[in-house]
Amino acid sequence: MAGLLATKSVIADVPELAAQALRLELDLTPKPGLVDRANNGSHQDMDHALFLKSIAAITPWFTVFAGAGKAHARKPASEQLRLLRPMGIACEQAMFTATEGVNTHKGGIFSLGLLCFAAGRLQGQGRMVSADALCQQVSEICCGLVARELSDRPQAITAGEKQFRQYGLTGARGEAEQGFITVRRAVLPFWHQEHGERRLHNALLRLMAANRDSNLVSRGGIEGLHYVQDYAARLLVSGWDSDALREMDDALMARRLSPGGSADLLAVAWVLAGL
Ligand SMILES: CC(C)(COP(=O)(O)OP(=O)(O)OC[C@H]1O[C@@H](n2cnc3c(N)ncnc32)[C@H](O[C@H]2O[C@H](COP(=O)(O)OP(=O)(O)OP(=O)(O)O)[C@@H](O)[C@H]2O)[C@@H]1O)[C@@H](O)C(=O)NCCC(=O)NCCS
Ligand SMILES: Nc1ncnc2[nH]cnc12
């Protein structure tokens, strides 16, 4: 863990940062409700070893996404998701093969895949790959995604569609269409004020406090989302130590709550902060 934290500064390659981010997120411990080095969080079907298999299966795709973004850099942003989606689905299939059908990183593939694709697109356009430029590209590529896939549906079938209809939640799609606004507003302004693992723990708590995580709603209803948001906000105000994080871990496990979306956004924050 310490070695990975130290090497970040010499690597500015987005697919490499994305691969690093998945491993750092997994190994951060304790992580309330989530799989880490100490326990499986609120999951019966996942553990640390399974996440390692998932990471090994999906990381080779990050350079594929970046290559595709570069190859199609001269085409309009509005055409890009149609070009990227089949590769994203193929990457999801590689994950499901590695995990024997368990959804470990579906959201992570979506968010990090878009960042890798956008990085290739910027390179293909001869532009600098900065955090702001990446987020702007992702937003342009995903323009209209929420309307097309959530709000304009005749009836709510998937969890995401039901959550949108009931609570106006837009999940991973909304985050991407808004250029990862939660990461940019809740995490990045504080990132360089802190260091090491404490920086990562604070970033995850800030994400849990701000992120409208569809996983929490799927498992615990809107009350489950508010429970986690309020708990994380309290720790950020009152201060926390490892014991407090372990207590929060116990509380979320007792309620079967898992903030998987915030775990994915922590990986997104690592990539954006590394540029
Ligand atoms: C657009 C897709 C993301 C469509 O997927 P879906 O309709 O499911 O969209 P969401 O409901 O928005 O959530 C999908 C996953 O995204 C993560 N997530 C949730 N909320 C947010 C948020 N506010 N911001 C960012 N990301 C968010 C979360 O993923 C993580 O959690 C999953 C593991 O947790 P778990 O509780 O186990 O999840 P389940 O197994 O589903 O529940 P149980 O049965 O166990 O109770 C894991 O996926 C983590 O990554 C949400 O789950 C996208 O998938 C799509 O369309 N893909 C096609 C390919 C593509 O277009 N790719 C483009 C780029 S390559
Ligand atoms: N460490 C983790 N535990 C559970 N779900 C996750 N989704 C992404 N990372 C996760």
Side-chain angles (χ1 to χ4, degrees):
M1 179 75 171
L4 268 177
L5 286 171
T7 59
K8 178 187 73 62
S9 58
V10 299
I11 296 171
D13 175 74
V14 172
E16 178 60 33
L17 280 170
Q20 260 183 37
L22 287 177
R23 185 60 197 272
L24 272 162
E25 179 277 301
L26 172 61
D27 283 347
L28 184 67
T29 301
K31 252 194 335 280
L34 296 161
V35 173
D36 57 30
R37 287 180 286 112
N39 62 45
N40 301 339
S42 302
H43 298 273
Q44 307 306 316
D45 58 351
M46 314 178 178
D47 60 14
H48 190 275
L50 193 72
F51 266 82
L52 287 178
K53 288 177 183 173
S54 179
I55 291 170
I58 65 182
T59 45
W61 284 88
F62 291 154
T63 47
V64 173
F65 300 143
K70 192 168 186 176
H72 299 293
R74 298 295 168 193
K75 295 174 186 164
S78 58
E79 295 178 12
Q80 302 304 312
L81 204 49
R82 211 174 11 258
L83 295 162
L84 175 58
R85 186 143 267 178
M87 287 175 259
I89 291 170
C91 180
E92 284 181 5
Q93 286 313 309
M95 172 195 76
F96 283 124
T97 301
T99 64
E100 296 180 15
V102 176
N103 170 19
T104 43
H105 285 113
K106 184 179 175 191
I109 290 168
F110 178 73
S111 296
L112 295 172
L114 282 165
L115 284 175
C116 292
F117 185 87
R121 182 168 170 79
L122 286 168
Q123 284 166 348
Q125 294 172 351
R127 296 169 56 192
M128 191 177 76
V129 179
S130 68
D132 285 346
L134 268 185
C135 291
Q136 180 60 34
Q137 276 296 322
V138 170
S139 181
E140 288 172 11
I141 290 164
C142 294
C143 181
L145 181 60
V146 167
R148 280 196 307 275
E149 298 191 3
L150 291 177
S151 54
D152 294 355
R153 288 293 166 93
Q155 56 186 25
I157 297 171
T158 68
E161 289 163 1
K162 287 173 183 163
Q163 288 180 11
F164 179 80
R165 191 69 54 92
Q166 208 169 357
Y167 307 113
L169 299 182
T170 57
R173 294 178 180 88
E175 272 304 312
E177 187 167 3
Q178 296 177 83
F180 299 117
I181 189 169
T182 303
V183 173
R184 286 187 289 116
R185 287 188 177 169
V187 174
L188 295 186
F190 308 94
W191 187 267
H192 296 293
Q193 295 169 12
E194 297 147 342
H195 302 283
E197 286 203 347
R198 191 160 184 86
R199 168 158 72 184
L200 297 174
H201 284 303
N202 270 320
L204 183 58
L205 285 172
R206 290 186 178 113
L207 286 166
M208 286 181 183
N211 184 29
R212 303 201 304 170
D213 193 323
S214 71
N215 284 35
L216 293 173
V217 180
S218 294
R219 284 166 166 253
I222 203 71
E223 299 78 15
L225 173 63
H226 292 158
Y227 177 81
V228 171
Q229 288 179 325
D230 295 347
Y231 200 133
R234 275 200 314 274
L235 289 188
L236 287 166
V237 168
S238 64
W240 56 269
D241 58 15
S242 295
D243 289 341
L245 292 180
R246 276 189 284 273
E247 283 168 20
M248 186 178 181
D249 195 17
D250 293 340
L252 266 62
M253 288 193 285
R255 292 164 176 80
R256 262 197 89 251
L257 293 172
S258 171
S262 291
D264 289 343
L265 290 184
L266 179 63
V268 167
W270 177 264
V271 173
L272 295 176
L275 293 173

